[in-house]
Amino acid sequence: MNSPPTDVPQLNLRLGSKLRHSNIMEEMDVYFECNIRANPWVSETGWRFEGYDLHNNLSAGVLITNQSLVLQKVSRSHRGRYSCTATNSEGQGESNHVYLRVQCITYSFVRKTL
């Protein structure tokens, strides 16, 4: 009987299923989902922003679990390329990059005359 092939993890990153790239505004919560295919299964996962490792930072609104990344109350400083990584005994794989665009909130004021 043949065992399944072993390989470096294959990853696919996407914006959360209820979010649309064109509708991301400042102050919104945004999440990413990382789909992992690996045999053997992964021993470590990670997240990157513009090539730098991301870490849990509750005070900055960065929440990381194995296969999801949540950014609370995004601002323009969150704009950029995100990716996820996973490591197994065969090596490390990195997902596609997803570019997050964050639009500014514009306020319009109605002036009332008395």
Side-chain angles (χ1 to χ4, degrees), residues 3-4 27 35 44 56 71 91 105:
S3 60
E27 298 296 312
N35 185 328
E44 189 178 323
N56 263 320
L71 304 173
I105 296 175

Side-chain angles (χ1 to χ4, degrees), residues 2-113:
N2 291 342
S3 60
T6 60
D7 208 349
V8 172
Q10 303 295 308
L11 299 97
N12 182 43
L13 179 63
R14 65 186 177 103
L15 201 53
S17 57
K18 294 182 180 0
L19 299 171
R20 296 195 195 292
H21 283 282
S22 58
N23 294 343
I24 306 297
M25 304 291 284
E26 286 181 306
E27 298 296 312
M28 285 180 68
D29 291 349
V30 172
Y31 66 101
F32 294 90
E33 298 170 343
C34 185
N35 185 328
I36 302 171
R37 285 187 18 234
N39 181 37
W41 190 243
V42 299
S43 56
E44 189 178 323
T45 59
W47 290 88
R48 291 186 178 150
F49 171 63
E50 291 295 331
Y52 294 97
D53 291 340
L54 282 174
H55 303 283
N56 263 320
N57 186 339
L58 299 180
S59 61
V62 178
L63 311 171
I64 295 174
T65 62
N66 284 343
Q67 292 183 242
S68 66
L69 166 65
V70 177
L71 304 173
Q72 296 178 317
K73 297 185 185 278
V74 295
S75 68
R76 288 181 289 173
S77 66
H78 291 99
R79 289 178 181 169
R81 293 179 310 133
Y82 290 83
S83 63
C84 56
T85 62
T87 305
N88 66 8
S89 58
E90 302 298 309
Q92 183 181 65
E94 185 171 3
S95 72
N96 54 301
H97 291 97
V98 173
Y99 190 88
L100 180 66
R101 293 170 181 83
V102 180
Q103 298 180 37
C104 300
I105 296 175
T106 55
Y107 297 98
S108 53
F109 295 95
V110 177
R111 194 174 204 166
K112 292 184 179 179
T113 55

